[in-house]
Amino acid sequence: MFYVMIMHLSLLRRRINLSFIQFAPAFGQVERNLDTALRLARRAKSGIIVLPELFNTGYAFRSKEEVRRLAEPARDGGTCRTLVTLSKMKSSTIVAGFVESDRGSFYNSAAIVSKGKFLGVYRKLHLFHKEKTWFSPGNLGLRVFDQDGFKIGVMICFDWIFPEAARTLALKGAEVIAHPANLILDGLSQTVMWARSIENMVFTITANRVGVETRGGETFRYTGRSQIVSPKMKVLARAGTMREAVASVSVDLGSARKKVIFGENNIFEERRVKEYHRSFGR
Ligand code: ACM
């Protein structure tokens, strides 16, 4: 009886709400974007909530000077402090993208905060297009945060095209991958993220933005379609391509622990790592 109760409690503990928030940040208007995020967050259920890449500043920078002006330190910067407060109000873990300044360098980062505490940052490893001019590539590796026993990995936008990013997070134990994004390649990433979910048997939350930015001689049309995908590649929630949106789904994160795709096949135990490495010598 006691054993059954403990089992029951531990199963209960694995249930959590996963949410994305999708909107169109206004370039350079940090206060307005924070207000929008706070307004939309009211509609998300408590749990793990993901906001887009660079949600507080917008994406299409025109100069390093703009980057410098809009960058903030992690932890004590205004955006991180607001996120910490929001995470306390929502009793939630929040992952959200911002421009981080640290010792004269700028990073395309995501803050992870939980229930009133700042947990850390992930700095985007794979920079897209002109980001290479504005930001330094991430130097903190891929990070999995353990919050209340839930293992949350973080990657940002263009990291999607490098399967190593999601794979590394999953091998490090991530059960859910938070994926703040500003996607412009028409629906490609959203489809590929289905594969990232099933090949690693993890939940993925892609929080993309919508809207159009024309700045610096370029026009970016952001593709929306934020989504939450299960370890068996079921799309549990999906937004449209044009409008702001919030979605929450209740999941059992325990289902991302078992890596059994069918019957006798455990996709992590059956990786032939030595053979993969030996293949290079052939
Ligand atoms: C991107 O990495 N923001 C496309």
Side-chain angles (χ1 to χ4, degrees), residues 18-111:
L18 308 182
S19 304
F20 62 70
I21 294 176
Q22 166 175 300
F23 71 105
F27 191 88
Q29 300 190 39
V30 173
E31 256 179 55
R32 177 172 154 191
N33 295 329
L34 287 173
D35 283 349
T36 305
L38 295 178
R39 171 173 60 78
L40 293 173
R42 283 195 219 120
R43 287 162 43 193
K45 295 205 174 127
S46 293
I48 298 171
I49 303 171
V50 186
L51 283 150
E53 178 183 19
L54 302 175
F55 86 98
N56 63 335
T57 58
Y59 181 79
F61 287 91
R62 271 196 309 225
S63 67
K64 197 86 179 198
E65 190 39 47
E66 270 185 349
V67 175
R68 195 183 317 280
R69 184 165 54 79
L70 292 168
E72 300 180 22
R75 190 185 293 271
D76 294 326
T79 294
C80 283
R81 287 222 296 256
T82 302
L83 290 169
V84 166
T85 305
L86 179 63
S87 73
K88 189 165 186 190
M89 274 161 43
K90 295 288 300 177
S91 187
S92 290
T93 299
I94 299 176
V95 180
F98 72 109
V99 184
E100 182 194 356
S101 60
D102 183 37
R103 286 169 280 191
S105 295
F106 304 104
Y107 301 94
N108 183 339
S109 293

Side-chain angles (χ1 to χ4, degrees), residues 78-182:
T79 294
C80 283
R81 287 222 296 256
T82 302
L83 290 169
V84 166
T85 305
L86 179 63
S87 73
K88 189 165 186 190
M89 274 161 43
K90 295 288 300 177
S91 187
S92 290
T93 299
I94 299 176
V95 180
F98 72 109
V99 184
E100 182 194 356
S101 60
D102 183 37
R103 286 169 280 191
S105 295
F106 304 104
Y107 301 94
N108 183 339
S109 293
I112 177 158
V113 299
S114 192
K115 299 181 181 170
K117 286 204 196 92
F118 175 82
L119 300 186
V121 288
Y122 163 67
R123 293 173 173 166
K124 187 175 183 178
L125 287 185
H126 305 102
L127 298 175
F128 182 72
H129 189 48
K130 294 219 178 117
E131 287 175 40
K132 294 182 193 190
T133 312
W134 314 135
F135 306 125
S136 301
N139 56 1
L140 299 177
L142 289 150
R143 306 191 66 188
V144 175
F145 298 84
D146 186 336
Q147 181 60 33
D148 301 329
F150 298 113
K151 306 244 177 7
I152 306 161
V154 185
M155 57 188 243
I156 298 178
C157 205
F158 192 51
D159 287 331
W160 66 268
I161 206 160
F162 301 89
E164 294 88 348
R167 178 62 110 205
T168 303
L169 290 169
L171 289 173
K172 286 183 69 166
E175 296 158 333
V176 54
I177 294 178
H179 180 217
N182 279 187

Side-chain angles (χ1 to χ4, degrees), residues 236-264:
L236 303 174
R238 183 199 259 181
T241 56
M242 308 291 279
R243 297 212 182 108
E244 62 185 35
V246 180
S248 300
V249 292
S250 168
V251 303
D252 174 9
L253 274 201
S255 65
R257 285 233 170 126
K258 307 175 219 108
K259 300 296 180 188
V260 177
I261 189 71
F262 186 79
E264 309 259 318

